[in-house]
């Protein structure tokens, strides 16, 4: 199966279908109602999104009447324009911060693909050719999307993977779409995406809100990888909590940021945590940091 191949839409709960794509092991989810389908995340290029749209049509569950971006990263938003081309001026929903950052975040990715080391990437041309379309229907805390016989809740639980994360809750189906606040994919060895725009010190509290929206039988769909259950989310929340508290302890003892990774035991491989540690040190208030002795 090639990098852009689909494993097809699979129903994980009543009228909630998830398709998992090999490129980035990313998930696109469809939520069905009397009014049509709500598509959650749109893949990493216009070309990739057109393949997603073909899968939507093969499913035969109706037209897409709205789109949701769980956050601003390109692998979740670069298909927005293709969905608009296929289905008309459907609303694209996102948290207000994610919508504001979608274009600059996407332009940074295009510049990255243009660097010499990446010019041989097989996806370079399709990423570069994609028009970046940001969400136009935003909210700050929570909002309900009406699909006729079904209401879908969009909730900003706090900052974690990015500043503009949202989760999608389908109450009648007992499904929560967690975006990249939850990571299952083995492409990253199950390590959460501690990137240059993450908030490691707040992420555990954000996942507490996600857990509060979940029950023992809830199906939780991560941004990448297979659906999981509440226990998986709780375990990942605890591991991210260990990362946060370890950063807090090291900074409080005056360990320099450049020495922090080697100075402690971590729940994830050290090479995956460099950004988390640097971001954590930056985000701690001065009162929780001790200056190293010189």
């Amino acid at each position: 199966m090639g990098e852009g191949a689909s494993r097809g839409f699979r129903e994980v709960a009543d009228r909630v279908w998830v398709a998992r794509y090999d490129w980035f092991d990313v998930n696109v989810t469809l939520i069905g109602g009397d009014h049509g389908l709500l598509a959650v995340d749109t893949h990493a290029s216009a070309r990739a999104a057109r393949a997603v749209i073909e899968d939507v049509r093969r499913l035969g569950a109706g037209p897409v009447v709205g789109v949701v971006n769980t956050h601003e990263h390109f692998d979740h938003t670069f298909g927005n324009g293709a969905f608009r081309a296929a289905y008309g001026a459907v609303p694209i929903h996102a948290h207000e911060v994610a919508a504001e950052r979608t274009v600059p975040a996407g332009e940074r990715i295009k510049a990255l693909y243009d660097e010499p080391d990446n010019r041989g990437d097989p996806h370079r041309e399709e990423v570069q050719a994609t028009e970046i379309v940001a969400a136009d229907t935003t909210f700050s805390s929570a909002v309900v999307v009406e699909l006729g016989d079904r209401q879908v809740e969009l909730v900003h639980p706090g900052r974690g993977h990015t500043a503009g994360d949202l989760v999608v809750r389908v109450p009648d189906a007992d499904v929560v779409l967690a975006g990249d606040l939850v990571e299952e994919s083995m492409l990253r060895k199950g390590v959460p995406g501690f990137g240059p725009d993450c908030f490691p010190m707040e992420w555990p509290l954000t996942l507490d809100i996600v857990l509060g929206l979940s029950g023992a039988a809830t199906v939780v769909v991560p941004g990448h990888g297979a659906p999981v259950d509440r226990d998986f989310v709780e375990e990942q929340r605890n591991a991210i909590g260990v990362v946060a508290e370890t950063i807090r302890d090291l900074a409080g003892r005056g360990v320099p940021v450049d020495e922090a990774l080697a100075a402690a035991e971590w729940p994830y491989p050290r090479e995956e945590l460099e950004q988390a540690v640097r971001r954590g040190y930056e985000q701690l208030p001065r009162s929780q940091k001790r200056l190293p002795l010189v």
Side-chain angles (χ1 to χ4, degrees), residues 114-125:
D114 205 34
E115 291 182 358
D117 288 348
N118 295 320
R119 288 180 184 171
D121 190 289
H123 297 287
R124 175 180 175 271
E125 289 188 6

Side-chain angles (χ1 to χ4, degrees), residues 101 163 194-201 247 257 273-284:
R101 296 184 179 182
F194 292 112
D197 50 358
C198 72
F199 290 82
M201 309 310 293
I247 292 170
V257 64
L273 294 175
E274 182 177 353
Q275 296 278 13
V277 170
R278 291 194 177 279
R279 291 281 290 174
Y281 267 66
E282 291 169 2
Q283 291 159 13
L284 279 171

Side-chain angles (χ1 to χ4, degrees), residues 20-259:
R20 187 173 169 186
Y21 294 88
D22 285 356
W23 187 20
F24 294 116
D25 198 12
V26 71
N27 290 322
V28 177
T29 301
L30 300 174
I31 303 166
D34 282 350
H35 291 173
L37 299 170
L38 188 66
V40 181
D41 291 333
T42 61
H43 214 339
S45 73
R47 178 182 176 183
R50 287 192 287 270
V52 175
I53 290 162
E54 287 303 311
D55 287 340
V56 174
R57 289 170 174 158
R58 275 192 287 270
L59 180 66
V64 171
V65 296
V67 168
V68 176
N69 295 151
T70 56
H71 57 292
E72 69 264 27
H73 289 164
F74 86 108
D75 50 325
H76 301 263
T77 63
F78 265 30
N80 288 355
F83 271 80
R84 279 267 176 88
Y87 296 105
V90 297
I92 301 174
H93 303 267
H95 184 261
E96 58 191 11
V97 173
E100 179 182 344
R101 296 184 179 182
T102 296
V103 172
E107 293 293 353
R108 284 194 296 272
I109 288 296
K110 287 190 175 188
L112 183 65
Y113 269 90
D114 205 34
E115 291 182 358
D117 288 348
N118 295 320
R119 288 180 184 171
D121 190 289
H123 297 287
R124 175 180 175 271
E125 289 188 6
E126 64 184 279
V127 170
Q128 295 282 16
T130 296
E131 178 189 2
I132 305 170
V133 177
D136 58 358
T137 306
T138 64
F139 70 100
S140 60
S141 180
V143 72
V144 172
V145 178
E146 297 282 352
L147 289 178
D149 64 331
R150 166 174 274 174
Q151 292 185 327
V152 178
E153 300 169 0
L154 310 182
V155 179
H156 172 57
R159 302 189 297 189
H161 179 63
T162 68
D165 296 306
L166 67 77
V167 297
V168 182
R169 181 170 177 257
V170 190
D172 66 280
D174 200 8
V175 173
V176 170
L177 314 179
D180 286 5
L181 287 168
V182 176
E183 178 67 65
E184 190 278 339
S185 176
M186 289 302 102
L187 283 181
R188 288 189 46 83
K189 303 175 184 178
V191 180
F194 292 112
D197 50 358
C198 72
F199 290 82
M201 309 310 293
E202 300 176 38
W203 202 330
L205 299 178
T206 295
L207 282 177
D208 285 342
I209 301 297
V210 177
L211 287 165
L213 297 171
S214 310
T218 301
V219 176
V220 180
V221 180
H224 305 264
V228 298
D229 58 16
R230 190 182 190 280
D231 288 346
F232 181 98
V233 178
E234 188 165 7
E235 289 176 9
Q236 195 156 93
R237 180 262 179 249
N238 291 339
I240 295 172
V242 169
V243 171
E245 290 310 309
T246 302
I247 292 170
R248 196 183 312 276
D249 174 67
L250 293 169
R253 290 193 284 114
V255 176
V257 64
D258 291 337
E259 300 175 15

